[in-house]
């Protein structure tokens, strides 16, 4: 691609060299989702092996992906995000958010979703899929934690827009403190059922830690400020209070990282917490 000389100092133009190709964007989308081997990428994207080889080589050369040997005979590589590649995750999530709002939706800012919309279909299609192996998020204690609780037969992951924020007229955004309090109060019931809980937002860890101390939250709060989970699961987001935020949803995952149930959109928070306990208990009993 030929560029005007002025583009050599333009960050947008330079980024377009990496993301301006349709297939490059889809390759990065699938790697973020945990499809890191060649055959898996070819299957998910529907791209010819020749073109995929070319695109992977280009992304490696640009420093966005790195190859990691996982088999010697024959030689096979996994393609993993570099630091530069991980820094592109917010861009992918922003593209998803823009497409959901302006192409697939009605353009309104909302923290909920229509039951006949693309976001609803995408979230409920997660049932039966597995969370990417090794995906961890920063916790309030300063260490990265796995999404699935070790030793629990089921883990309930609930995403929420953010606590301590004035949401104004954004539909579905209010209620984050209430939701955390309800999960806090029900947490002993989850443990007795063999399940655990993780709350996830795009707030920074220290913001979550302040809230956890003030509200005596007993389960981990995880920060998706780098949008790793949002990109991996293509979760619905919205922009509010100057930041991309998770829409409110609940996912029940078994010990093998397989999504067993999803609740979305969450309109009745108390009912959703009760329902997630019931579903988690059923999941734990069938383990």
């Amino acid at each position: 691609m030929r560029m005007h000389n002025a583009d050599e100092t333009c960050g947008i133009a330079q980024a377009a060299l990496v993301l301006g190709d349709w297939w490059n964007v889809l390759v990065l989308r699938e790697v973020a989702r945990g499809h890191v081997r060649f055959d898996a990428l070819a299957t998910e994207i529907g791209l010819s092996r020749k073109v995929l080889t070319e695109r992977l080589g280009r992304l490696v050369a640009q420093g966005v992906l790195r190859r990691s040997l996982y088999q010697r005979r024959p030689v096979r590589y996994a393609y993993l995000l570099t630091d530069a590649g991980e820094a592109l995750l917010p861009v992918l999530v922003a593209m998803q958010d823009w497409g959901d709002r302006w192409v697939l939706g009605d353009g309104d800012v909302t923290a909920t979703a229509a039951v006949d919309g693309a976001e609803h279909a995408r979230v409920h299609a997660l049932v039966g899929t597995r969370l990417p192996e090794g995906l961890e998020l920063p916790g309030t204690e300063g260490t990265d934690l796995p999404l699935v609780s070790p030793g629990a037969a089921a883990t309930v992951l609930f995403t929420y827009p953010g606590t301590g924020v004035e949401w104004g007229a954004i539909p579905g955004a209010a209620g984050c403190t209430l939701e955390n309090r309800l999960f806090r109060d029900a947490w002993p019931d989850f443990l007795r059922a063999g399940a655990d809980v993780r709350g996830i937002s795009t707030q920074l860890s220290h913001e979550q830690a302040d809230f956890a101390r003030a509200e005596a939250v007993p389960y981990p709060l995880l920060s998706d400020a780098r949008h790793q989970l949002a990109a991996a699961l293509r979760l619905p987001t919205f922009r509010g209070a100057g930041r991309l935020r998770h829409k409110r949803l609940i996912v029940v995952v078994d010990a093998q990282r397989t999504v067993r149930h999803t609740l979305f959109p969450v309109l009745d928070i108390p009912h959703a917490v009760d329902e997630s306990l019931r579903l988690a208990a059923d999941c734990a009993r069938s383990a």
Side-chain angles (χ1 to χ4, degrees):
M1 178 187 296
R2 292 190 62 186
M3 297 177 62
H4 190 277
N5 289 339
D7 288 339
E8 294 178 359
T9 60
C10 175
I12 295 174
Q14 295 299 322
L17 287 176
V18 178
L19 293 178
D21 181 283
W22 163 264
W23 296 118
N24 284 4
V25 174
L26 295 188
V27 167
L28 293 174
R29 182 196 70 182
E30 293 307 316
V31 171
R33 294 178 65 199
H35 300 130
V36 297
R37 297 185 178 184
F38 188 95
D39 289 342
L41 287 167
T43 299
E44 292 296 326
I45 302 174
L47 194 57
S48 73
R49 300 180 73 86
K50 178 181 178 181
V51 175
L52 179 57
T53 298
E54 178 187 57
R55 293 307 192 278
L56 288 170
R58 187 178 301 172
L59 289 168
V60 169
Q62 290 167 328
V64 175
L65 296 179
R66 63 179 177 87
R67 300 196 303 176
S68 176
L69 182 69
Y70 70 87
Q71 180 177 301
R72 292 188 178 277
R73 293 185 180 179
V75 173
R76 294 287 186 270
Y77 293 98
Y79 292 86
L80 307 177
L81 294 171
T82 63
D83 289 344
E86 289 189 356
L88 284 171
L89 295 182
V91 178
L92 296 182
V93 174
M95 291 176 68
Q96 178 77 72
D97 177 67
W98 184 87
D100 284 340
R101 180 179 174 189
W102 294 107
V103 181
L104 302 175
D106 59 10
D108 291 335
V109 177
T110 176
T112 182
V115 295
D116 58 349
E119 292 173 311
H120 183 274
R122 198 167 66 243
V123 170
H124 288 276
L126 290 173
V127 174
T129 64
R130 298 185 74 188
L131 302 183
E133 187 175 1
L135 179 57
E136 298 183 342
L137 297 179
T140 52
E141 300 300 320
T143 58
D144 290 355
L145 296 176
L147 293 171
V148 175
S149 177
T155 302
V156 173
L157 306 175
F158 72 96
T159 64
Y160 60 96
T163 57
V165 180
E166 294 294 332
W167 292 113
I170 299 179
C176 300
T177 297
L178 169 64
E179 186 175 19
N180 272 280
R181 287 173 176 171
L182 291 172
F183 272 112
R184 176 197 64 192
D185 295 343
W187 189 63
D189 297 325
F190 280 95
L191 293 185
R192 281 191 290 269
D196 206 348
V197 175
R198 269 122 166 78
I200 304 168
S201 74
T202 59
Q203 292 177 290
L204 299 176
S205 292
H206 71 85
E207 296 173 310
Q208 294 177 327
D210 290 343
F211 174 77
R213 283 191 296 270
E215 294 290 335
V217 174
Y219 49 80
L221 296 181
L222 306 181
S223 172
D224 195 29
R226 295 165 61 190
H227 304 290
Q228 294 166 279
L229 181 64
L233 302 186
R234 294 188 295 161
L235 298 180
T237 60
F238 71 101
R239 183 166 291 279
R243 183 180 297 171
L244 275 172
R245 310 275 182 170
H246 285 299
K247 294 190 177 184
R248 194 184 318 281
L249 62 85
I250 300 175
V251 177
V252 179
V253 186
D254 65 21
Q256 288 72 46
R257 310 191 323 277
T258 300
V259 177
R260 297 284 295 273
H261 305 282
T262 59
L263 299 176
F264 179 78
V266 175
L267 303 176
D268 184 336
I269 295 175
H271 172 74
V273 174
D274 290 342
E275 181 68 1
S276 68
L277 174 58
R278 184 187 69 81
L279 294 172
D282 288 345
C283 180
R285 281 194 295 267
S286 64

